[in-house]
Amino acid sequence: MEKNDILTVKIEDLTADGEGVGKLDGFPFFIKDTVPGDVARCAVMKLQKNYGFARLLEILEPSPDRTEAHCPIARACGGCQLQHLSYEAQLRFKTKRVADALQRIGGLSIRMAGEEPGEGRDEVLLYPALGMEEPWHYRNKAQVPVGKARDGSLVMGFYARHSHEIIPQESCMITFPEAQTVLQTVREWMRRFGVSVYNEVSGTGVLRHVLARKGMRTGEILVCLVSRKRRIRHENELAEMLRSTVPGFATLTVNVNEGRDNVILGREGYTAFGPGFIEDEIGGLRFRISPESFFQVNSEQMEVLYGKALEFAGLRGEETVWDLYSGIGTISLFLAKKASKVYGCEIVPQAIRNARENARLNGLGNVTFYEGAAEEVLPRWASEHPEERIDVIVVDPPRKGLDLRCLETICQIAPERVIYVSCDPATLARDLALFRERGYRAECAQPVDQFCQTVHVESVVLMARAE
Ligand code: SAH
């Protein structure tokens, strides 16, 4: 077999990146834009020793799970990888990804909810992924690069898959609808006032990214310009324009990023118009959100996710709880309503400021937030408070998972329960195995679909200390 050979395969599986996998005499090919159940004609693109890549030419027999993508640029854009898969199949895919990771990476045994328990086996009960009724326009945040198209015109949109080419994008099917008007208005403002586009190759120009966020319950909209320069000119004019075009527009901020790498946000910024934050309501609590703070992108599913975390925590009102990687205090405050005392820890200063304000805003006096890295704050706290008993620890780390030092300190503190909220099944599985070696058994796992139409998977796991 060689490059450009044509082959016909039946797609059997989907990778974590959303590529279909079909086998020819046991030799696997990865084929973008195919889904399990398709029979596809493809052209070989690249051959490695144990696998190859092929390009889809034609679907000969569509899978029963295949559906028409809603978005005209779904194939080119890197944002949604699963639009051509029915939503029900997307949820099955996500449940399976968690199952596969826990088994293959974590070495754990799985029992699907509804199945009989295995005899004397140590099994994690896995529930099917919880999805949305309307899995569109759910994102409360848009974060788009600003650049130049090949013809020199101004574009805002998405990076094409695996590239730094920006694909202009007129309407996004998963982001809140007003985001488009925000982008159009910013583009118009740039044209009118000659604001220059940042060039990542030469490191010149001004505007790098535009970020917009909406409080889905309150309707408040924040716009943040990511700028290479410390000061942006004509910002008042932009605020004025946004006020007249975007209903709910509440604040305009500037984030300064002078760096040459591809990190999106810089450390500092200022407010050009309005309060510099928006507020939203989740689970009956009110939250203040700054542009630099992390906030789950799917407000509706966030309630489901944190509701599960709270349920797994099994609080009766007497407990002392830690919430590590606490962001603006969302989970901490959910817990604070049901616990005696809550400690939170977070590394981003703006998020800590939001978290403290949020505790005050909701009249919750039983929460203390520590600013710093969890792997430093927790060991220090533990050595300074050897007598204090902790009943539950919740962790919600970034994709890379838990720092080993943090994980070991959690096990030394030895709470009865550990709740792990994760946006990456692979690092979750790795960490569950480490917890297991240290006496924590994963009891159950619940994937929650926070990122409909994409391959991303969020889940929450309950661990208990073995007796
Ligand atoms: N629980 C929050 C935030 C989860 S996202 C929520 O659900 O909204 C993970 C958070 O961890 C981010 O806010 C990030 O800023 C923070 N973070 C990243 N590395 C950290 C570290 N080493 N120590 C503490 N917090 C960290």
Side-chain angles (χ1 to χ4, degrees), residues 205-271:
V206 176
L207 198 62
R208 302 172 68 126
H209 271 82
V210 179
L211 183 154
R213 240 181 197 164
K214 179 180 178 186
M216 297 301 244
R217 285 270 160 74
T218 59
E220 295 175 9
I221 290 176
L222 170 153
V223 178
C224 170
L225 304 177
V226 184
S227 160
R228 184 184 66 87
K229 287 246 173 89
R230 301 226 135 238
R231 203 86 219 172
I232 279 202
R233 297 185 337 153
H234 304 295
E235 54 198 24
N236 293 337
E237 286 88 340
L238 176 59
E240 222 20 77
M241 288 169 75
L242 287 166
R243 253 157 48 132
S244 66
T245 54
V246 182
F249 168 68
T251 189
L252 173 68
T253 71
V254 177
N255 174 281
V256 181
N257 184 355
E258 296 167 314
R260 287 298 294 269
D261 51 20
N262 56 12
V263 175
I264 294 175
L265 289 176
R267 285 179 169 275
E268 279 165 47
Y270 63 92
T271 302

Side-chain angles (χ1 to χ4, degrees), residues 293-296 302 305-306 323-331 345-348 351 372-375 396-398 400 403 421:
S293 301
F294 174 89
F295 192 59
Q296 287 279 356
M302 190 182 335
L305 180 71
Y306 297 162
D323 176 23
L324 298 170
Y325 309 86
S326 53
I328 63 167
T330 32
I331 298 179
C345 167
E346 160 66 42
I347 203 163
V348 171
E375 59 275 20
D396 185 3
K400 66 174 192 237
D403 179 279
V421 182

Side-chain angles (χ1 to χ4, degrees), residues 271-292:
T271 302
F273 171 83
F277 57 80
I278 49 165
E279 289 186 2
D280 203 6
E281 257 172 49
I282 303 290
L285 292 163
R286 211 162 166 95
F287 292 97
R288 224 167 243 197
I289 313 151
S290 294
E292 292 84 5

Side-chain angles (χ1 to χ4, degrees), residues 374-417:
E375 59 275 20
E376 284 163 21
V377 169
L378 194 67
R380 195 178 331 124
W381 182 90
S383 68
E384 285 167 6
H385 301 79
E387 301 299 325
E388 192 166 344
R389 192 186 121 134
I390 299 296
D391 303 285
V392 178
I393 297 186
V394 180
V395 298
D396 185 3
R399 298 191 67 117
K400 66 174 192 237
L402 285 182
D403 179 279
L404 188 58
R405 178 140 177 252
C406 179
L407 190 147
E408 280 175 339
T409 311
I410 293 172
C411 296
Q412 275 158 24
I413 292 175
E416 237 164 76
R417 292 165 175 234

Side-chain angles (χ1 to χ4, degrees), residues 64-199:
D65 292 332
R66 177 172 274 281
T67 181
E68 197 67 38
H70 278 40
C71 175
I73 59 164
R75 261 185 94 163
C77 167
C80 298
Q81 305 86 359
L82 299 182
Q83 275 205 22
H84 53 298
L85 191 61
S86 74
Y87 189 54
E88 196 255 315
Q90 290 181 25
L91 294 177
R92 265 189 277 126
F93 160 75
K94 294 188 185 193
T95 310
K96 181 167 176 292
R97 254 192 76 193
V98 175
D100 287 351
L102 296 190
Q103 287 167 320
R104 290 186 197 157
I105 303 169
L108 304 168
S109 307
I110 297 289
R111 171 163 64 93
M112 286 307 299
E115 279 175 16
E116 288 296 311
E119 197 68 29
R121 288 239 306 271
D122 196 5
E123 291 169 322
V124 188
L125 179 61
L126 175 62
Y127 294 98
L130 293 170
M132 293 183 87
E133 227 154 85
E134 200 39 62
W136 302 103
H137 295 297
Y138 60 84
R139 279 183 66 97
N140 57 28
K141 174 170 135 177
Q143 185 167 272
V144 302
V146 181
K148 286 250 171 83
R150 287 214 183 94
D151 65 2
S153 63
L154 190 60
V155 281
M156 293 183 199
F158 275 101
Y159 288 120
R161 287 193 212 203
H162 309 301
S163 111
H164 261 215
E165 187 189 343
I166 300 172
I167 301 217
Q169 165 250 16
E170 292 310 320
S171 71
C172 174
M173 297 297 302
I174 62 169
T175 307
F176 68 94
E178 297 91 333
Q180 291 315 309
T181 322
V182 170
L183 298 183
Q184 280 155 12
T185 307
V186 174
R187 196 161 42 195
E188 174 56 27
W189 167 77
M190 290 180 75
R191 274 201 208 110
R192 211 183 281 175
F193 295 97
V195 179
S196 64
V197 176
Y198 176 70
N199 179 320

